[in-house]
Amino acid sequence: MSESTSTDSTRASEIRPRPETASVIIFGASGDLTARKLMPALFDLWNDGYLSDQAPIIGVARREKTDESFRQEIFEAMKGQFRDGVISPDQWERFSRRLFYRQLDIAMPDGYPGFKQQLESIEHQQGTGHNRIVYMATSPDLFLPAIEHLGFANMIPDHDEPQWLRVVFEKPFGHDLQSSRELSDNLRRLLREDQIYRIDHYLGKETVQNILLFRFGNSIFEPLLNRNHVDHVQITVAESQGLERGRGGYYDHSGAMRDVLQNHVLQLLCLIAMEPPALFNSNDLHEEKLKVLKTLSGGNPGGIANWVVSGQYGAGTVDGNPAISYVSEDRIPQDSRTDTYVAMKVKINNWRWEGVPFYLRTGKRMKSRVSEIAIQFKLPPLNLFNTVECDGNMCELVGARPNKLVFRIQPSESIKLSFSTKRPGMQYQIHPVTMDFDYKTFTQPLPEAYERLLLEVLRGDSTLFMRSDELDAAWQFVTPILDFWSQSETVPEPYPSGSWGPVAADDLLRNDGRSWRSPTV
Ligand code: BG6
């Protein structure tokens, strides 16, 4: 499918105001996230003209480093990760000039007054004001102390001051409902909600944003997205990789439910299921997403075990390579009961979706890396046509296949609609075809999620971030499941690395006369 009009030259900067200049301060700058995601995103923002030439980027962490060694370290880590794949020495020279490093024990208050002075001197030297973004790329136990210390050092401006401070919090934001509420309450004493940006990087992905435009910018699909036409919906966030280096400590306390389902998967669910907002603004969008989360419940009667399945990967083969089991990974105890996979059947108790099951799944070490939302429509009421389909020597007469609308989020972004046509010939034989919209038809490179989200913070727009009541509602849904697992000492069902998950997850759908998709990549 090709575009009907060229949008290549339409850049966001031409239709939305350019962001103000601000210092970007990364707490926890020695971590993986800074080198892998944040710095490439900041580089691309600068390269695209969204980040001013003056804006300093200050890495803050406990280790001793000089500005020069920090720049060198970032360069080494970033090589090959730039969106366009190449960076000239001149570009790097011009970009890296604004990189600074400040050694600080983030947990201790003593260093903050000195840090403030250093920061002001950098801002003076760069000729910028004191607008600041603080990106909390630290472990979550440092969130509150860091903000308290910023407050004591007089680094949190009031509403009526000309300069602003916006703080971005990486997930996990809380470990369960109670800890997330405590964190929110404590932060609220120090920061206003409009200063808090809780990041969920899925909301920065291009196809994820396109879901809203596709649904509410077209008139032909939206009337079909309800209980009258939709049979069921499947949301998959599958990864083929296992634990990344150094993540074992975090992940074993988190698991797939907290790490991905509570945030990325539920956000996808909200976007595909929400009602149209009255206006396309942050508040209205958050309100509609919140309504979805509040009406969410288990998809089968009876206890949680009837609609939730947890799994843990064993050894296996992924992409032709041998893969070790979860409990053999670095820093994972042999008797770990952490879920590396979770699947569930849920329902949304509202007028639109009554009776439509939503099947959600996410896991590590699965067959392929693929994230998608697949909407399966009901079959036509009468099966007037059929065709002969053969698999080897086995042939059977099959009728129409259900129409499917699939939003592929990764690895290659696309939207596909499958429907039936007539097979050419003298008989009325049915033939399934797919209509594709592939993002490759746009020639401009897609912005990375972090690039988009950092730009929104610079602009002061929190539409693509989690509001505190949304987060609360997501935890309210997920926490009883976590409590049930821990009280019942649930042992996740093993599944081989490189498979599509445990057998019990297949049964969840088989019992409904359905099956999971095996997405091809
Ligand atoms: C992160 C999780 O939020 O999302 C990781 O902490 C996971 O465990 C990652 O690998 C998946 O993101 P993406 O963009 O690669 O699908």
Side-chain angles (χ1 to χ4, degrees), residues 171 201-202 205 239 241 244 247 250-251 259-260 264 364 369 371 410:
K171 61 177 251 295
H201 77 278
Y202 260 61
K205 291 185 190 262
E239 298 181 71
Q241 69 177 22
E244 288 139 325
R247 284 195 94 207
Y250 153 75
Y251 194 86
D259 187 46
V260 172
H264 307 329
K364 292 208 181 276
R369 175 176 185 251
S371 296
Q410 53 198 24

Side-chain angles (χ1 to χ4, degrees), residues 82-127:
F82 301 98
R83 192 189 54 205
D84 297 332
V86 274
I87 175 173
S88 71
D90 171 57
Q91 271 176 314
W92 173 252
E93 215 293 297
R94 285 190 295 126
F95 174 72
S96 66
R97 267 185 231 153
R98 95 267 323 287
L99 295 190
F100 300 91
Y101 182 79
R102 288 299 166 258
Q103 186 186 10
L104 177 74
D105 184 347
I106 295 165
M108 304 303 290
D110 340 2
Y112 281 73
F115 170 58
K116 183 185 178 204
Q117 270 184 6
Q118 290 177 325
L119 191 56
E120 283 169 357
S121 118
I122 292 173
E123 286 167 342
H124 180 71
Q125 172 194 326
Q126 294 289 113

Side-chain angles (χ1 to χ4, degrees), residues 302-371:
I304 285 169
N306 289 348
W307 53 275
V308 184
V309 171
S310 66
Q312 188 184 83
Y313 63 82
T317 308
V318 180
D319 295 332
N321 299 314
I324 59 173
S325 67
Y326 175 71
V327 293
S328 311
E329 301 273 12
D330 184 32
R331 294 164 71 189
I332 304 300
Q334 274 300 307
D335 58 353
S336 170
R337 290 205 310 252
T338 296
D339 50 306
T340 63
Y341 173 98
V342 58
M344 60 176 72
K345 175 183 171 187
V346 299
K347 57 181 181 177
I348 297 171
N349 300 296
N350 66 15
W351 192 271
R352 181 193 282 260
W353 293 117
E354 177 55 34
V356 179
F358 284 73
Y359 300 99
L360 319 177
R361 65 176 163 170
T362 181
K364 292 208 181 276
R365 278 281 183 246
M366 294 179 70
K367 193 171 173 63
S368 313
R369 175 176 185 251
V370 55
S371 296

Side-chain angles (χ1 to χ4, degrees), residues 26 28-40 42-43 57 59 65-82 87 92 95-96 99-101:
I26 304 174
S30 298
D32 210 31
L33 184 77
T34 304
R36 271 194 323 116
K37 298 287 182 191
L38 302 181
M39 285 296 178
L42 288 164
F43 175 85
I57 300 170
K65 276 175 215 172
T66 61
D67 290 341
E68 211 30 66
S69 63
F70 180 59
R71 287 171 191 165
Q72 194 52 35
E73 205 175 86
I74 295 295
F75 180 69
E76 290 302 321
M78 271 170 61
K79 269 197 298 196
Q81 288 190 40
F82 301 98
I87 175 173
W92 173 252
F95 174 72
S96 66
L99 295 190
F100 300 91
Y101 182 79

Side-chain angles (χ1 to χ4, degrees), residues 272-293:
I272 205 66
M274 66 187 251
E275 295 300 321
L279 295 173
F280 195 78
N281 65 27
S282 175
N283 199 42
D284 288 17
L285 280 163
H286 286 304
E287 285 304 323
E288 294 307 335
K289 281 160 67 189
L290 182 61
K291 285 183 204 160
V292 174
L293 291 169

